[in-house]
Amino acid sequence: MSSGFALGNNRPQWADWHFALPLLFVVLYGSGFVGAKLGLPDAGPFTFLALRFALASIIMVVIALAIKAPWPTTPKEWLHIAGAGFFGVGVFSAAAFSSIALGVPPAVSALIVALNPIVVALAAGPLLGERTNYRQLLGLLLGFCGVYLVLRDRLGVDAGYTTAVLLSVLALLGLAVGNLYQKKHCTSMNLFTGGALQCCVCALAMSAGMMIFDEGPVHWTAEFMVAWFWMAIAVSIGAVSILYIMIRRAEVSRVASVFFLMPVSAAVIAYALFGQALTASAFLGMGVTVAGVMLAQRR
């Protein structure tokens, strides 16, 4: 059987996509961690997310109506799409935003989420029947070691930081569950109608969280507006749609390994916008994660 990333004889699917689709996904999705830091000073995490998902759902409904995209036809389809979105988009975003709001740097939160390939690879076998070979496992272990190099200095020393890190771990678990559920039940989902439904469900969930946890008004600054529109359009619509296309075309364990490259994207953008420099150990960890994803992606 050919690999999920192979369409031709010996050409990896990355070559068929000219590497553009995964690379664009890494840049857009990685920018989401930095977008969170840009917008959080002016709104609580749940308030920001409620506004983000509301705007994204409105835009996708308009696009879906304009192109006459098909909507789910059965209650079961609606529930599957909503469930995948709740975990993979809602739980992930709420936990990651809260973690960053409590002081975890965007690149570090992205590094924790970069463990997604390990969680997905371990679960994809029994749940989806996907095979994971020894080279992939070695690549995944290298990625884990890279993440550890970045986190080792402060874990267990700063209790508040540890709590914030655990929220990023919750984001990781939500993303993994959502990706697996999306692959198992929603591969035929229309990107615009399904995306609109998922964003609407997440907007309602974040609105409930806003009423329970957030305090204070929204400050409609220029930075907040940029972060709001970027997160709604580039991340919620652009990056998530690309992720679903990759999940539809390939083995979910191989798609998940792309997340190892996310912290590099987040670190570069965070440094450019906020001057947040990482330590030499952190950059070493990132190098190890890049080596891990390259190894995991090889045929």
Side-chain angles (χ1 to χ4, degrees):
M1 185 188 304
S2 62
S3 165
F5 276 100
L7 296 179
N9 294 329
N10 293 313
R11 294 182 66 201
Q13 198 171 23
W14 297 118
D16 292 302
W17 295 348
H18 305 289
F19 205 75
L21 205 60
L23 180 61
L24 181 60
F25 168 73
V26 166
V27 173
L28 291 179
Y29 213 78
S31 72
F33 292 90
V34 183
K37 185 173 180 61
L38 184 64
L40 285 174
D42 297 308
F46 288 96
T47 303
F48 189 2
L49 288 171
L51 291 170
R52 164 193 169 182
F53 291 128
L55 177 59
S57 63
I58 292 171
I59 293 173
M60 282 193 281
V61 166
V62 171
I63 295 175
L65 294 175
I67 66 175
K68 297 181 180 180
W71 291 85
T73 56
T74 66
K76 187 176 182 180
E77 284 183 283
W78 284 82
L79 287 174
H80 280 322
I81 292 172
F86 175 78
F87 286 102
V89 180
V91 173
F92 161 71
S93 298
F97 267 55
S98 299
S99 177
I100 293 171
L102 291 175
V104 174
V108 174
S109 182
L111 272 172
I112 298 169
V113 174
L115 292 174
N116 182 47
I118 296 176
V119 178
V120 169
L122 292 175
L127 292 178
L128 303 176
E130 294 184 4
R131 293 182 178 181
T132 303
N133 59 40
Y134 290 110
R135 184 184 291 115
Q136 285 178 283
L137 288 174
L138 179 57
L140 298 175
L141 288 174
L142 278 175
F144 179 84
C145 292
V147 173
Y148 173 74
L149 285 173
V150 178
L151 295 178
R152 63 178 182 174
D153 292 335
R154 292 184 63 180
L155 286 181
V157 177
D158 186 336
Y161 186 78
T162 302
T163 300
V165 164
L166 290 176
L167 284 171
S168 284
V169 174
L170 177 60
L172 158 67
L173 295 177
L175 180 65
V177 171
N179 286 174
L180 290 164
Y181 199 92
Q182 183 78 24
K183 180 67 175 181
K184 188 173 181 64
H185 297 290
C186 308
T187 52
S188 61
M189 178 191 90
N190 181 272
L191 291 178
F192 294 109
T193 56
L197 172 60
Q198 290 185 341
C199 283
C200 184
V201 168
C202 291
L204 293 174
M206 297 307 112
S207 296
M210 174 184 67
M211 292 185 286
I212 297 172
F213 298 108
D214 287 354
E215 299 178 358
V218 176
H219 301 289
W220 297 93
T221 63
E223 290 80 5
F224 178 81
M225 295 292 290
V226 169
W228 178 34
F229 277 90
W230 181 263
M231 294 295 294
I233 299 172
V235 181
S236 291
I237 298 177
V240 173
S241 295
I242 293 172
L243 174 62
Y244 288 166
I245 291 171
M246 292 193 296
I247 288 175
R248 180 181 300 172
R249 294 184 179 184
E251 295 169 353
V252 68
S253 57
R254 288 186 178 272
V255 173
S257 64
V258 177
F259 281 83
F260 276 149
L261 300 176
M262 208 66 62
V264 179
S265 174
V268 171
I269 299 172
Y271 178 77
L273 290 181
F274 307 114
Q276 286 189 337
L278 296 178
T279 63
S281 176
F283 279 108
L284 174 61
M286 287 184 182
V288 174
T289 61
V290 170
V293 73
M294 291 177 65
L295 187 61
Q297 290 296 347
R298 290 188 62 189
R299 288 292 305 278

